[in-house]
Amino acid sequence: QVQLVPSGGGLVQPGGSLRLSCAASRFTFSTYTMSWYRQAPGKEREFVARITNAGGSTNYADSVKGRFTISRDNAKNTVYLQMNNLKPEDTAMYYCRAYRSTDARNYWGQGTQVTVSS
């Protein structure tokens, strides 16, 4: 039913940049808070960034503040994560999440791999 399709992952050198995208379909994207999470091997899934449904408020994990920027284009049903000055510790599988608190709807996309290595 609901689809969240990520793209943009890959291999990048330390200090480099990547831009992740998550394209949504089959639900009312503009009513959902969108987030990015990541999970490294042997680690629990962790929060990375969040943006409210109209794009007016954002939150970031301390580990990515000043380096990552989350944004959304409701006309395109897409959320983005611009990742700059990447570090090896950013290596993980990155997941897109859609959440709506009014009825507790919660959807996860499949992951896209980000590897930061020299």
Side-chain angles (χ1 to χ4, degrees):
Q1 185 182 341
V2 171
Q3 287 191 327
L4 292 167
V5 182
S7 62
L11 176 65
V12 65
Q13 297 181 126
S17 298
L18 285 174
R19 190 194 193 203
L20 305 183
S21 299
C22 183
S25 63
R26 301 185 186 275
F27 71 103
T28 309
F29 177 80
S30 62
T31 68
Y32 284 77
T33 293
M34 300 298 300
S35 299
W36 289 95
Y37 288 75
R38 67 188 183 188
Q39 187 169 21
K43 300 289 186 179
E44 293 186 348
R45 182 183 61 200
E46 66 174 349
F47 166 79
V48 176
R50 177 181 65 187
I51 187 166
T52 54
N53 57 358
S57 182
T58 58
N59 294 98
Y60 299 92
D62 288 343
S63 59
V64 307
K65 285 181 179 177
R67 300 188 298 119
F68 290 12
T69 303
I70 188 170
S71 62
R72 67 192 294 160
D73 187 340
N74 286 348
K76 295 182 178 180
N77 289 349
T78 302
V79 63
Y80 306 94
L81 185 67
Q82 179 67 47
M83 305 184 293
N84 298 325
N85 192 24
L86 283 160
K87 303 175 180 180
E89 52 263 42
D90 295 318
T91 296
M93 188 75 74
Y94 283 71
Y95 298 90
C96 175
R97 182 201 183 199
Y99 178 72
R100 187 169 67 186
S101 62
T102 53
D103 54 2
R105 301 282 186 176
N106 184 44
Y107 303 110
W108 290 92
Q110 294 209 330
T112 184
Q113 179 67 39
V114 172
T115 302
V116 184
S117 180
S118 59

